[in-house]
Every structure is written in C-alpha cells, then in structure tokens.
Amino acid sequence: MGARARRIKRIREVLPIVVELEDYTQQVYADDLFTTEEGRDASPLWLATPFSHTRDSGLLEECNWKVVTESLSKFSDTVQEMRFGHWGWGWSERIYVRKDDALALRDIQQFIDALSDYPVLDDERLSRMETEELNDYIRSQVDDDLVDPVRQQLRERHDVIRAEDVDQDMIKDVLGSVPHAYDQWDTEVDECEACGQPRAAECRVVSL
C-alpha cells in the first residue's frame, strides 16, 4: 500500500464524510441525464459533493454556492468546480474534492452539517442579493432615483422583499405614496397613460 493509499485509509477512519461522499459520487456518476462539457477526472481520488447549482438556480441556492466556493477556494489543487451540460436547464456545476485532503473534507463536512440545521449559510448575503434583484425589477419599471422609495413602499404596504413577490399592480399602487413620482413641471393636471394616476406633467414611470 502506497503513501497516498495509507493516508486515505487514515482519513476514512476519522472522517465518515469520505464514505458518504463515495456513495454519493456513485449516484452522481450513474445519472445518465448529464454529459460532461469540460471533462471530469473519473479517478477514485475525486468525490462529488452535494454542493451544486444550475442556470436556473434561485437566490438561496446561488447564495449558498457562493459562500461554499469562496470558502473552499483556498484548496485550489484539491477542490474543483466541474461543469456538466444538460438538455433541460443548460448546465450544472458541482464541487468535487480529493479524498486525500483531510482539511478540505473537514470544511465540506462543516458546511453539510450547517445546512442540515438551517438552509441558509449567510443570511446577510442572501438579504443583499434579494434587495439587488428587487431593485433591478423596480428599475425596469421606474426611473432610477425612484427605486429606493418604491422599494420602501412595497415593503411597508405589501410586505414585499423579493422580486418574485412583486408585480406591476403593486408598483402602480405604491406610486401615489412616493414623493416626486410625477414631475410638477406645469399646472395642468391630467391622467398618466402609463399608470392611470393623476399627474401634473410627465410621468416618470418607465413601462407600466
């Protein structure tokens, strides 16, 4: 038995995650839905982990992916992100780890344990990502300088914090409570063709 094999044997004895990932890797390799885009090392040294994301992943999955990949980036030689093509969702990326790196395996075990207790690895980061996505949606509907007050009104009046929970009717509803949503450039009051609200001049709603 060579030095590497002895090292792996010792690691398997003290880190049960190795055996679990060996079984998990067999399940992943047996999935005929995936085809390799960038190639993968089928060596028994490399173990698949449950950390993955796809083109269609939501914010929670993306947040956890970023936390894990950034933390594991220090193991550049023994942890890899491998990409696979898929006919349905375009691509999938998964983290693989070498079974002879005890420190990397320990960190992966800690992430798995953390997610078994609570589904978010970084609440603050997820909150920022949700706000950024919501801002992008609001920005597609109104002028840039109205984004913050519209978001605040959406939170207060509709308890909205995520883009997936807002629609154009909600935007229309809160515009009347947002100062300067309508520019007061003249005294003639008419009705905005975009949102139906009274206005004194040109409505600053982009596309409602």
Side-chain angles (χ1 to χ4, degrees):
M1 181 181 295
R4 174 179 290 170
R6 290 194 299 270
R7 176 177 175 79
I8 292 174
K9 183 176 182 295
R10 290 196 301 271
I11 292 174
R12 289 177 90 254
E13 291 172 351
V14 298
L15 294 177
I17 186 65
V18 175
V19 176
E20 296 174 14
L21 292 182
E22 287 174 342
D23 293 339
Y24 184 77
T25 301
Q26 292 304 312
Q27 297 176 23
V28 171
Y29 281 11
D31 188 349
D32 293 331
L33 292 177
F34 291 96
T35 56
T36 304
E37 283 186 1
E38 299 177 353
R40 73 180 173 202
D41 187 346
S43 163
L45 274 177
W46 290 95
L47 299 173
T49 75
F51 302 112
S52 66
H53 71 154
T54 72
R55 180 193 61 192
D56 300 327
S57 291
L59 288 184
L60 174 58
E61 193 171 9
E62 283 298 319
C63 176
N64 288 340
W65 172 265
K66 290 178 182 297
V67 171
V68 173
T69 54
E70 289 175 7
S71 176
L72 297 177
S73 63
K74 59 182 177 288
F75 303 110
S76 57
D77 294 330
T78 55
V79 174
Q80 293 185 8
E81 302 166 25
M82 298 188 184
R83 174 175 288 222
F84 307 90
H86 187 272
W87 64 269
W89 50 76
W91 54 262
S92 172
E93 286 185 321
R94 183 178 301 278
I95 295 176
Y96 282 74
V97 59
R98 279 177 51 147
K99 67 172 66 176
D100 61 346
D101 189 333
L103 294 179
L105 287 163
R106 181 201 61 189
D107 282 12
I108 288 172
Q109 177 71 75
Q110 290 173 348
F111 282 125
I112 292 174
D113 292 343
L115 288 174
S116 69
D117 295 328
Y118 185 66
V120 185
L121 291 174
D122 189 335
D123 282 299
E124 187 173 322
R125 183 172 196 156
L126 178 60
S127 178
R128 290 198 305 269
M129 293 173 66
E130 289 175 337
T131 298
E132 290 169 3
E133 186 178 65
L134 179 58
N135 284 347
D136 288 342
Y137 176 78
I138 298 172
R139 191 173 290 110
S140 73
Q141 307 296 317
V142 303
D143 284 353
D144 286 352
D145 57 335
L146 297 179
V147 171
D148 288 343
V150 167
R151 186 187 67 249
Q152 182 64 29
Q153 286 296 317
L154 285 171
R155 182 187 296 269
E156 293 178 359
R157 298 180 62 158
H158 295 283
D159 197 27
V160 167
I161 60 173
R162 299 179 300 181
E164 62 191 62
D165 297 326
V166 70
D167 57 34
Q168 290 186 345
D169 288 338
M170 292 180 184
I171 299 288
K172 293 178 184 179
D173 178 62
V174 304
L175 279 172
S177 303
V178 175
H180 311 301
Y182 308 98
D183 291 327
Q184 307 297 311
W185 290 338
D186 62 33
T187 57
E188 180 181 355
V189 177
D190 58 5
E191 186 177 273
C192 172
E193 296 177 358
C195 67
Q197 298 290 328
R199 67 177 183 179
E202 181 178 349
C203 180
R204 298 169 63 198
V205 178
V206 175
S207 58
L208 288 178

